[in-house]
Amino acid sequence: MIDSSRTITVASVAMVLLILGITIILGLATKRAASLLRSDIGLVAVVDPACGQPAVDSLTTFLASAPFIEKTVARTADEVLERWEDTMGSEELLDVNPFLPEYEITVRKQWTRPDSLEQIARDISRFRCVDHIQVNTDLAAGINRTVSSALLILSIIGMTLLIVSIVLMTNTLKLQLHAQRFVIHTQQYVGAKISYIVRPYVIRAAISGLASALIATAILTALATYVVMIDPIAATLFDWTDILVSAATLISIGPILCALTAMMAAKKYVCRSYDEIFN
């Protein structure tokens, strides 16, 4: 009965740790996806060439030296028109090109917050050759909200799974302690210390936690390998360091969590009175 319940607990904790590992990988993938999206966030500065080449050169020099800029792509009015035709279709426009030259600016990741983008736009707007600026603040705010919400949900799931693990281990340990109540009482009767009585249960719990973590890690690795093989998009968001981080987390959490839970539950049970143990 005890061996059966211990096996069920190992399997149950392994399943919980597996889901926790998947949650960790999803969290890391979410941050990586947000990082990739942020790498494309920036703004477009439309330039009026009528201001003269010196004014345009001054802006170019500023963009080349600004610490918050990742890269800058300069497009002539003809290139902007060509891009518009590629996007909207090659429809006949007026004889005069209605577009102005522009600088497509990509900012560094640490400056992709909406308030940072607005400040950058104000700095660039001070150049008199700048006609207007298009800022992707809505995209930046949307990415930040989505990532924050996703990480919050994943954190709640992780905490819930840890609580479920503690409940499973506690119930199993109670069955083991109840089955050994006569042995425990005899040990107490001859003067055994609580730490001596509790130690075997803590060691067994730690070994069970390690076994559960290894099982969960093996299944998680197999699942990750399969997903990467069949889904090219997942391969771009997934890194094998995520498996190492997840495996290290599970192998650390499994034994420690099981051992701590066993120690607290066993101490609480051993400290009961004779009537509480046998009734």
Side-chain angles (χ1 to χ4, degrees):
M1 175 67 180
I2 295 177
D3 291 338
S4 176
S5 63
R6 187 179 297 130
T7 302
I8 293 175
T9 301
V10 169
S12 301
V13 173
M15 184 61 65
V16 171
L17 291 177
L18 173 62
I19 299 174
L20 180 61
I22 293 173
T23 302
I24 294 172
I25 289 179
L26 288 176
L28 295 173
T30 299
K31 294 184 68 175
R32 186 171 291 106
S35 179
L36 291 174
L37 290 173
R38 288 192 182 103
S39 64
D40 293 329
I41 290 179
L43 42 89
V44 176
V46 179
V47 178
D48 185 2
C51 294
Q53 190 61 38
V56 177
D57 292 340
S58 177
L59 174 63
T60 303
T61 303
F62 172 78
L63 296 178
S65 60
F68 47 77
I69 292 179
E70 180 70 28
K71 65 177 181 179
T72 303
V73 178
R75 289 190 173 90
T76 64
D78 292 336
E79 291 173 338
V80 176
L81 175 61
E82 182 179 352
R83 185 184 61 182
W84 187 88
E85 290 178 343
D86 291 339
T87 304
M88 306 300 296
S90 56
E91 298 179 0
E92 290 293 334
L93 297 176
L94 299 175
D95 294 336
V96 179
N97 186 349
F99 296 101
L100 294 173
E102 66 182 28
Y103 287 93
E104 186 173 316
I105 304 166
T106 303
V107 301
R108 299 185 186 277
K109 296 176 184 178
Q110 56 267 39
W111 278 280
T112 55
R113 294 176 58 87
D115 53 347
S116 299
L117 290 174
E118 291 174 356
Q119 180 59 48
I120 293 172
R122 286 194 292 269
D123 292 341
I124 297 176
S125 297
R126 285 199 286 264
F127 290 86
R128 62 187 185 87
C129 64
V130 175
D131 184 79
H132 64 276
I133 296 179
Q134 303 168 3
V135 188
N136 298 326
T137 53
D138 292 340
L139 176 60
I143 292 174
N144 291 334
R145 284 195 303 268
T146 302
V147 172
S148 299
S149 300
L151 294 179
L152 176 61
I153 292 172
L154 292 174
S155 299
I156 294 174
I157 292 174
M159 292 301 298
T160 303
L161 292 174
L162 290 179
I163 294 173
V164 170
S165 299
I166 293 173
V167 172
L168 286 173
M169 290 181 289
T170 301
N171 290 337
T172 302
L173 188 61
K174 284 181 179 179
L175 291 175
Q176 297 175 9
L177 292 168
H178 185 73
Q180 298 291 325
R181 62 190 183 279
F182 293 102
V183 176
I184 293 174
H185 178 68
T186 302
Q187 290 175 323
Q188 289 176 320
Y189 185 75
V190 299
K193 294 182 179 180
I194 293 178
S195 59
Y196 177 82
I197 299 173
V198 169
R199 187 181 302 119
Y201 299 99
V202 175
I203 293 174
R204 282 199 294 267
I207 294 173
S208 298
L210 179 60
S212 299
L214 292 175
I215 293 171
T217 300
I219 298 175
L220 184 64
T221 303
L223 287 175
T225 303
Y226 176 73
V227 171
V228 169
M229 289 175 59
I230 65 172
D231 192 347
I233 297 178
T236 61
L237 301 177
F238 178 80
D239 193 279
W240 285 106
T241 56
D242 297 348
I243 281 289
L244 296 178
V245 171
S246 181
T249 303
L250 297 184
I251 293 175
S252 300
I253 288 178
I256 294 174
L257 183 64
C258 291
L260 289 176
T261 303
M263 183 175 64
M264 291 186 292
K267 281 186 175 181
K268 182 178 179 180
Y269 187 89
V270 171
C271 291
R272 289 180 175 180
S273 64
Y274 177 87
D275 293 334
E276 290 176 327
I277 291 177
F278 290 93
N279 294 329

